[in-house]
Amino acid sequence: MNDLHPDLARVVVSTDQIQSRVKELADQISTDFADRETLYIIGILKGAFIFLADLTRHLRVPHNVDFMALSSYGKTTSSGAVRILMDLREPVEGQHLIIVEDIVDTGRTLDYLYRVLKGRKPASLHSCVLIRKQRDNLNIPIDYLGFDIPDVWVVGYGLDFADKHRTLPYIAELKRE
Ligand code: IMP
């Protein structure tokens, strides 16, 4: 791509690749949950809002949408303890939950979410993650995965660096300073 922003090194996942994979993930979820009751889609803010919007518009099963906001300490790295900044509006006991997360790096955030949501006694709990950076040391299952990418900092399609580049339609590697 010729018109890349100067902060960006290269496109890692193109707009077309994202759009077709997101549709495939929605088709797979729609097939797997065809006989279930209403799905409860939990988007993790801020990063998952674009992915969730595209994914849910392709779903062919009834679903509700709600959001949680989590934070790890440090704005641009994924290190540190995780805490809840904004919680779900309703109890989710007995519901079929799907966590929709933009990116998994160390897996700490997803691991924490799993433990919190399991504790609320849902009927089932699954995860749908667009990007995975590390495969090792992840002890939580990712049920629906978009792409594996190298361990570089990426932005776009919901992902940011200090709140920048979040609304790019593709996912790009940030240049190292
Ligand atoms: P984890 O807890 O190490 O798996 O980190 C997950 C969180 O770190 C994600 O929800 C993002 O907020 C952030 N993160 C990790 N890697 C990236 C990246 O490459 N770009 C943008 N955010 C990232």
Side-chain angles (χ1 to χ4, degrees), residues 44-48 70 72 75-80 82 101-111 131 133-134 138 140 149-156 158-161 166 172:
I44 308 306
L45 296 173
K46 299 179 189 174
L70 301 177
S72 39
K75 276 203 172 301
T76 54
T77 66
S78 59
S79 61
V82 183
E101 175 67 303
D102 51 357
I103 191 163
V104 168
D105 182 3
T106 62
R108 261 196 298 264
T109 307
L110 195 57
D111 189 57
I131 301 285
K133 289 214 289 200
Q134 303 186 41
L138 287 186
I140 349 89
I149 65 158
D151 190 7
V152 293
W153 196 268
V154 285
V155 294
L159 295 160
D160 72 308
F161 177 75
R166 211 187 270 288

Side-chain angles (χ1 to χ4, degrees), residues 16-34:
D16 286 353
Q17 286 174 307
I18 293 170
Q19 290 305 326
S20 66
R21 187 72 188 122
V22 169
K23 168 125 187 9
E24 284 173 6
L25 292 173
D27 287 346
Q28 187 64 56
I29 293 170
S30 300
T31 303
D32 293 351
F33 289 85

